[in-house]
Amino acid sequence: MAALPSGLSPTIDPPGYAMTDTAHAQLTTFTQALQAFERGDHTAATLSTLARQQTTLLAALPPRYSEVLLNLLDRLESSALFSEESCSFSQKDLVANLTMWAEKAQGTLTAR
Protein backbone atom coordinates (compact mmCIF):
# COMPACT_ATOMS: atom_id res chain seq x y z
CA MET A 1 0.00 0.00 0.00
CA ALA A 2 1.31 3.47 -0.88
CA ALA A 3 2.13 5.89 1.91
CA LEU A 4 -0.23 8.77 2.49
CA PRO A 5 0.96 12.25 1.60
CA SER A 6 2.75 14.13 4.34
CA GLY A 7 0.27 15.86 6.64
CA LEU A 8 -2.73 13.90 5.34
CA SER A 9 -4.40 10.92 6.91
CA PRO A 10 -7.68 9.15 6.36
CA THR A 11 -10.44 10.66 8.42
CA ILE A 12 -11.91 8.36 11.04
CA ASP A 13 -15.43 8.87 12.36
CA PRO A 14 -14.98 10.50 15.75
CA PRO A 15 -17.73 9.58 18.23
CA GLY A 16 -20.56 12.09 18.32
CA TYR A 17 -20.00 13.56 14.86
CA ALA A 18 -22.66 13.36 12.17
CA MET A 19 -21.86 11.42 9.03
CA THR A 20 -21.99 14.53 6.87
CA ASP A 21 -19.44 16.32 9.06
CA THR A 22 -16.99 13.49 8.53
CA ALA A 23 -17.92 13.28 4.85
CA HIS A 24 -17.10 16.99 4.48
CA ALA A 25 -13.77 16.46 6.26
CA GLN A 26 -12.96 13.52 4.02
CA LEU A 27 -13.82 15.56 0.93
CA THR A 28 -11.43 18.26 2.17
CA THR A 29 -8.73 15.61 2.66
CA PHE A 30 -9.30 14.31 -0.87
CA THR A 31 -9.25 17.82 -2.36
CA GLN A 32 -5.98 18.63 -0.57
CA ALA A 33 -4.44 15.37 -1.80
CA LEU A 34 -5.55 16.15 -5.36
CA GLN A 35 -3.92 19.58 -5.15
CA ALA A 36 -0.74 17.99 -3.79
CA PHE A 37 -0.76 15.52 -6.69
CA GLU A 38 -1.08 18.42 -9.16
CA ARG A 39 1.98 20.03 -7.57
CA GLY A 40 3.90 16.77 -7.95
CA ASP A 41 4.14 16.19 -4.20
CA HIS A 42 3.07 12.55 -4.51
CA THR A 43 2.12 9.83 -6.98
CA ALA A 44 -1.13 8.81 -8.62
CA ALA A 45 -1.04 5.61 -6.54
CA THR A 46 -0.85 7.64 -3.33
CA LEU A 47 -3.78 9.84 -4.37
CA SER A 48 -5.77 6.78 -5.37
CA THR A 49 -5.09 4.98 -2.10
CA LEU A 50 -6.10 8.01 -0.05
CA ALA A 51 -9.26 8.58 -2.11
CA ARG A 52 -10.35 4.95 -1.74
CA GLN A 53 -9.97 5.23 2.04
CA GLN A 54 -12.57 8.01 2.27
CA THR A 55 -15.34 5.47 2.88
CA THR A 56 -17.62 7.76 4.88
CA LEU A 57 -17.56 10.31 2.07
CA LEU A 58 -18.39 7.66 -0.52
CA ALA A 59 -21.19 6.27 1.67
CA ALA A 60 -22.70 9.76 2.06
CA LEU A 61 -22.94 10.27 -1.70
CA PRO A 62 -25.24 8.56 -4.22
CA PRO A 63 -23.75 5.26 -5.51
CA ARG A 64 -22.94 6.73 -8.93
CA TYR A 65 -20.33 9.00 -7.31
CA SER A 66 -18.31 5.99 -6.14
CA GLU A 67 -18.48 4.41 -9.58
CA VAL A 68 -17.28 7.58 -11.30
CA LEU A 69 -14.51 8.24 -8.76
CA LEU A 70 -13.17 4.69 -8.89
CA ASN A 71 -13.20 4.76 -12.71
CA LEU A 72 -11.28 8.05 -12.77
CA LEU A 73 -8.77 6.76 -10.22
CA ASP A 74 -8.20 3.57 -12.21
CA ARG A 75 -7.52 5.61 -15.35
CA LEU A 76 -5.22 7.97 -13.43
CA GLU A 77 -3.19 5.06 -12.11
CA SER A 78 -3.01 3.57 -15.60
CA SER A 79 -1.87 6.86 -17.08
CA ALA A 80 0.98 7.01 -14.57
CA LEU A 81 2.43 3.81 -16.03
CA PHE A 82 3.03 5.40 -19.42
CA SER A 83 4.41 8.61 -20.82
CA GLU A 84 1.79 11.21 -21.69
CA GLU A 85 2.27 10.53 -25.41
CA SER A 86 1.75 6.76 -25.25
CA CYS A 87 -1.28 6.73 -22.97
CA SER A 88 -4.86 7.22 -24.06
CA PHE A 89 -5.65 8.94 -20.74
CA SER A 90 -4.43 12.49 -20.26
CA GLN A 91 -3.42 13.08 -16.64
CA LYS A 92 -4.30 16.76 -17.00
CA ASP A 93 -7.83 15.86 -18.17
CA LEU A 94 -8.22 13.25 -15.43
CA VAL A 95 -7.19 15.77 -12.76
CA ALA A 96 -9.72 18.23 -14.22
CA ASN A 97 -12.40 15.53 -14.03
CA LEU A 98 -11.44 14.65 -10.44
CA THR A 99 -11.65 18.33 -9.54
CA MET A 100 -15.10 18.52 -11.11
CA TRP A 101 -16.11 15.35 -9.22
CA ALA A 102 -15.03 16.99 -5.93
CA GLU A 103 -17.00 20.15 -6.75
CA LYS A 104 -20.15 18.15 -7.53
CA ALA A 105 -19.66 16.02 -4.42
CA GLN A 106 -19.42 19.21 -2.35
CA GLY A 107 -22.67 20.47 -3.86
CA THR A 108 -24.40 17.16 -3.13
CA LEU A 109 -23.19 17.07 0.48
CA THR A 110 -24.21 20.68 1.03
CA ALA A 111 -27.71 20.04 -0.38
CA ARG A 112 -28.30 17.21 2.10
Side-chain angles (χ1 to χ4, degrees), residues 71-82:
N71 183 283
L72 289 170
L73 293 172
D74 287 344
R75 289 191 282 162
L76 184 66
E77 287 181 289
S78 295
S79 74
L81 300 174
F82 302 97

mmCIF file with all atom_site columns, all heavy atoms in Angstrom, residues 71-82:
data_model
loop_
_atom_site.group_PDB
_atom_site.id
_atom_site.type_symbol
_atom_site.label_atom_id
_atom_site.label_alt_id
_atom_site.label_comp_id
_atom_site.label_asym_id
_atom_site.label_entity_id
_atom_site.label_seq_id
_atom_site.pdbx_PDB_ins_code
_atom_site.Cartn_x
_atom_site.Cartn_y
_atom_site.Cartn_z
_atom_site.occupancy
_atom_site.B_iso_or_equiv
_atom_site.pdbx_formal_charge
_atom_site.auth_seq_id
_atom_site.auth_comp_id
_atom_site.auth_asym_id
_atom_site.auth_atom_id
_atom_site.pdbx_PDB_model_num
ATOM 1  N N   . ASN A 1 71 ? -13.572 4.825  -11.295 1.00 0.00 ? 71 ASN A N   1
ATOM 2  C CA  . ASN A 1 71 ? -13.203 4.764  -12.709 1.00 0.00 ? 71 ASN A CA  1
ATOM 3  C C   . ASN A 1 71 ? -12.110 5.784  -13.023 1.00 0.00 ? 71 ASN A C   1
ATOM 4  O O   . ASN A 1 71 ? -11.119 5.470  -13.699 1.00 0.00 ? 71 ASN A O   1
ATOM 5  C CB  . ASN A 1 71 ? -14.450 4.997  -13.572 1.00 0.00 ? 71 ASN A CB  1
ATOM 6  C CG  . ASN A 1 71 ? -14.149 4.887  -15.041 1.00 0.00 ? 71 ASN A CG  1
ATOM 7  O OD1 . ASN A 1 71 ? -13.578 5.805  -15.636 1.00 0.00 ? 71 ASN A OD1 1
ATOM 8  N ND2 . ASN A 1 71 ? -14.543 3.780  -15.641 1.00 0.00 ? 71 ASN A ND2 1
ATOM 9  N N   . LEU A 1 72 ? -12.287 7.010  -12.537 1.00 0.00 ? 72 LEU A N   1
ATOM 10 C CA  . LEU A 1 72 ? -11.283 8.052  -12.769 1.00 0.00 ? 72 LEU A CA  1
ATOM 11 C C   . LEU A 1 72 ? -9.951  7.687  -12.113 1.00 0.00 ? 72 LEU A C   1
ATOM 12 O O   . LEU A 1 72 ? -8.882  7.885  -12.706 1.00 0.00 ? 72 LEU A O   1
ATOM 13 C CB  . LEU A 1 72 ? -11.772 9.398  -12.241 1.00 0.00 ? 72 LEU A CB  1
ATOM 14 C CG  . LEU A 1 72 ? -12.906 10.059 -13.015 1.00 0.00 ? 72 LEU A CG  1
ATOM 15 C CD1 . LEU A 1 72 ? -13.457 11.257 -12.251 1.00 0.00 ? 72 LEU A CD1 1
ATOM 16 C CD2 . LEU A 1 72 ? -12.450 10.467 -14.410 1.00 0.00 ? 72 LEU A CD2 1
ATOM 17 N N   . LEU A 1 73 ? -10.003 7.142  -10.911 1.00 0.00 ? 73 LEU A N   1
ATOM 18 C CA  . LEU A 1 73 ? -8.768  6.760  -10.223 1.00 0.00 ? 73 LEU A CA  1
ATOM 19 C C   . LEU A 1 73 ? -8.049  5.633  -10.952 1.00 0.00 ? 73 LEU A C   1
ATOM 20 O O   . LEU A 1 73 ? -6.820  5.645  -11.071 1.00 0.00 ? 73 LEU A O   1
ATOM 21 C CB  . LEU A 1 73 ? -9.068  6.355  -8.777  1.00 0.00 ? 73 LEU A CB  1
ATOM 22 C CG  . LEU A 1 73 ? -9.556  7.479  -7.861  1.00 0.00 ? 73 LEU A CG  1
ATOM 23 C CD1 . LEU A 1 73 ? -10.013 6.917  -6.525  1.00 0.00 ? 73 LEU A CD1 1
ATOM 24 C CD2 . LEU A 1 73 ? -8.492  8.554  -7.677  1.00 0.00 ? 73 LEU A CD2 1
ATOM 25 N N   . ASP A 1 74 ? -8.805  4.661  -11.446 1.00 0.00 ? 74 ASP A N   1
ATOM 26 C CA  . ASP A 1 74 ? -8.203  3.568  -12.211 1.00 0.00 ? 74 ASP A CA  1
ATOM 27 C C   . ASP A 1 74 ? -7.486  4.107  -13.447 1.00 0.00 ? 74 ASP A C   1
ATOM 28 O O   . ASP A 1 74 ? -6.363  3.701  -13.763 1.00 0.00 ? 74 ASP A O   1
ATOM 29 C CB  . ASP A 1 74 ? -9.256  2.540  -12.637 1.00 0.00 ? 74 ASP A CB  1
ATOM 30 C CG  . ASP A 1 74 ? -9.756  1.685  -11.483 1.00 0.00 ? 74 ASP A CG  1
ATOM 31 O OD1 . ASP A 1 74 ? -9.108  1.657  -10.409 1.00 0.00 ? 74 ASP A OD1 1
ATOM 32 O OD2 . ASP A 1 74 ? -10.819 1.036  -11.658 1.00 0.00 ? 74 ASP A OD2 1
ATOM 33 N N   . ARG A 1 75 ? -8.130  5.029  -14.146 1.00 0.00 ? 75 ARG A N   1
ATOM 34 C CA  . ARG A 1 75 ? -7.515  5.609  -15.348 1.00 0.00 ? 75 ARG A CA  1
ATOM 35 C C   . ARG A 1 75 ? -6.292  6.451  -14.988 1.00 0.00 ? 75 ARG A C   1
ATOM 36 O O   . ARG A 1 75 ? -5.293  6.443  -15.711 1.00 0.00 ? 75 ARG A O   1
ATOM 37 C CB  . ARG A 1 75 ? -8.534  6.423  -16.137 1.00 0.00 ? 75 ARG A CB  1
ATOM 38 C CG  . ARG A 1 75 ? -9.566  5.522  -16.801 1.00 0.00 ? 75 ARG A CG  1
ATOM 39 C CD  . ARG A 1 75 ? -10.410 6.269  -17.794 1.00 0.00 ? 75 ARG A CD  1
ATOM 40 N NE  . ARG A 1 75 ? -11.429 7.042  -17.093 1.00 0.00 ? 75 ARG A NE  1
ATOM 41 C CZ  . ARG A 1 75 ? -12.097 8.049  -17.621 1.00 0.00 ? 75 ARG A CZ  1
ATOM 42 N NH1 . ARG A 1 75 ? -11.875 8.431  -18.856 1.00 0.00 ? 75 ARG A NH1 1
ATOM 43 N NH2 . ARG A 1 75 ? -13.010 8.693  -16.919 1.00 0.00 ? 75 ARG A NH2 1
ATOM 44 N N   . LEU A 1 76 ? -6.367  7.169  -13.855 1.00 0.00 ? 76 LEU A N   1
ATOM 45 C CA  . LEU A 1 76 ? -5.222  7.975  -13.428 1.00 0.00 ? 76 LEU A CA  1
ATOM 46 C C   . LEU A 1 76 ? -4.028  7.080  -13.114 1.00 0.00 ? 76 LEU A C   1
ATOM 47 O O   . LEU A 1 76 ? -2.899  7.366  -13.528 1.00 0.00 ? 76 LEU A O   1
ATOM 48 C CB  . LEU A 1 76 ? -5.592  8.822  -12.208 1.00 0.00 ? 76 LEU A CB  1
ATOM 49 C CG  . LEU A 1 76 ? -4.509  9.777  -11.716 1.00 0.00 ? 76 LEU A CG  1
ATOM 50 C CD1 . LEU A 1 76 ? -4.242  10.871 -12.753 1.00 0.00 ? 76 LEU A CD1 1
ATOM 51 C CD2 . LEU A 1 76 ? -4.918  10.394 -10.391 1.00 0.00 ? 76 LEU A CD2 1
ATOM 52 N N   . GLU A 1 77 ? -4.270  5.989  -12.418 1.00 0.00 ? 77 GLU A N   1
ATOM 53 C CA  . GLU A 1 77 ? -3.188  5.057  -12.106 1.00 0.00 ? 77 GLU A CA  1
ATOM 54 C C   . GLU A 1 77 ? -2.614  4.445  -13.387 1.00 0.00 ? 77 GLU A C   1
ATOM 55 O O   . GLU A 1 77 ? -1.398  4.291  -13.509 1.00 0.00 ? 77 GLU A O   1
ATOM 56 C CB  . GLU A 1 77 ? -3.683  3.955  -11.171 1.00 0.00 ? 77 GLU A CB  1
ATOM 57 C CG  . GLU A 1 77 ? -3.912  4.429  -9.757  1.00 0.00 ? 77 GLU A CG  1
ATOM 58 C CD  . GLU A 1 77 ? -4.386  3.327  -8.846  1.00 0.00 ? 77 GLU A CD  1
ATOM 59 O OE1 . GLU A 1 77 ? -5.540  2.891  -9.001  1.00 0.00 ? 77 GLU A OE1 1
ATOM 60 O OE2 . GLU A 1 77 ? -3.582  2.897  -7.998  1.00 0.00 ? 77 GLU A OE2 1
ATOM 61 N N   . SER A 1 78 ? -3.476  4.118  -14.327 1.00 0.00 ? 78 SER A N   1
ATOM 62 C CA  . SER A 1 78 ? -3.005  3.567  -15.601 1.00 0.00 ? 78 SER A CA  1
ATOM 63 C C   . SER A 1 78 ? -2.174  4.577  -16.364 1.00 0.00 ? 78 SER A C   1
ATOM 64 O O   . SER A 1 78 ? -1.148  4.231  -16.953 1.00 0.00 ? 78 SER A O   1
ATOM 65 C CB  . SER A 1 78 ? -4.189  3.132  -16.473 1.00 0.00 ? 78 SER A CB  1
ATOM 66 O OG  . SER A 1 78 ? -4.881  2.065  -15.881 1.00 0.00 ? 78 SER A OG  1
ATOM 67 N N   . SER A 1 79 ? -2.602  5.827  -16.350 1.00 0.00 ? 79 SER A N   1
ATOM 68 C CA  . SER A 1 79 ? -1.868  6.862  -17.077 1.00 0.00 ? 79 SER A CA  1
ATOM 69 C C   . SER A 1 79 ? -0.482  7.071  -16.496 1.00 0.00 ? 79 SER A C   1
ATOM 70 O O   . SER A 1 79 ? 0.444   7.458  -17.210 1.00 0.00 ? 79 SER A O   1
ATOM 71 C CB  . SER A 1 79 ? -2.650  8.182  -17.084 1.00 0.00 ? 79 SER A CB  1
ATOM 72 O OG  . SER A 1 79 ? -2.598  8.811  -15.821 1.00 0.00 ? 79 SER A OG  1
ATOM 73 N N   . ALA A 1 80 ? -0.318  6.808  -15.215 1.00 0.00 ? 80 ALA A N   1
ATOM 74 C CA  . ALA A 1 80 ? 0.979   7.008  -14.566 1.00 0.00 ? 80 ALA A CA  1
ATOM 75 C C   . ALA A 1 80 ? 2.000   5.959  -15.006 1.00 0.00 ? 80 ALA A C   1
ATOM 76 O O   . ALA A 1 80 ? 3.201   6.161  -14.856 1.00 0.00 ? 80 ALA A O   1
ATOM 77 C CB  . ALA A 1 80 ? 0.821   6.968  -13.050 1.00 0.00 ? 80 ALA A CB  1
ATOM 78 N N   . LEU A 1 81 ? 1.522   4.868  -15.592 1.00 0.00 ? 81 LEU A N   1
ATOM 79 C CA  . LEU A 1 81 ? 2.425   3.808  -16.031 1.00 0.00 ? 81 LEU A CA  1
ATOM 80 C C   . LEU A 1 81 ? 3.077   4.100  -17.373 1.00 0.00 ? 81 LEU A C   1
ATOM 81 O O   . LEU A 1 81 ? 4.017   3.429  -17.771 1.00 0.00 ? 81 LEU A O   1
ATOM 82 C CB  . LEU A 1 81 ? 1.664   2.479  -16.119 1.00 0.00 ? 81 LEU A CB  1
ATOM 83 C CG  . LEU A 1 81 ? 1.047   1.984  -14.816 1.00 0.00 ? 81 LEU A CG  1
ATOM 84 C CD1 . LEU A 1 81 ? 0.202   0.747  -15.080 1.00 0.00 ? 81 LEU A CD1 1
ATOM 85 C CD2 . LEU A 1 81 ? 2.122   1.699  -13.783 1.00 0.00 ? 81 LEU A CD2 1
ATOM 86 N N   . PHE A 1 82 ? 2.554   5.091  -18.080 1.00 0.00 ? 82 PHE A N   1
ATOM 87 C CA  . PHE A 1 82 ? 3.032   5.396  -19.423 1.00 0.00 ? 82 PHE A CA  1
ATOM 88 C C   . PHE A 1 82 ? 3.381   6.871  -19.533 1.00 0.00 ? 82 PHE A C   1
ATOM 89 O O   . PHE A 1 82 ? 2.895   7.690  -18.763 1.00 0.00 ? 82 PHE A O   1
ATOM 90 C CB  . PHE A 1 82 ? 1.942   5.079  -20.457 1.00 0.00 ? 82 PHE A CB  1
ATOM 91 C CG  . PHE A 1 82 ? 1.490   3.658  -20.418 1.00 0.00 ? 82 PHE A CG  1
ATOM 92 C CD1 . PHE A 1 82 ? 0.346   3.305  -19.723 1.00 0.00 ? 82 PHE A CD1 1
ATOM 93 C CD2 . PHE A 1 82 ? 2.219   2.671  -21.056 1.00 0.00 ? 82 PHE A CD2 1
ATOM 94 C CE1 . PHE A 1 82 ? -0.076  1.984  -19.680 1.00 0.00 ? 82 PHE A CE1 1
ATOM 95 C CE2 . PHE A 1 82 ? 1.805   1.346  -21.016 1.00 0.00 ? 82 PHE A CE2 1
ATOM 96 C CZ  . PHE A 1 82 ? 0.654   1.003  -20.319 1.00 0.00 ? 82 PHE A CZ  1
#
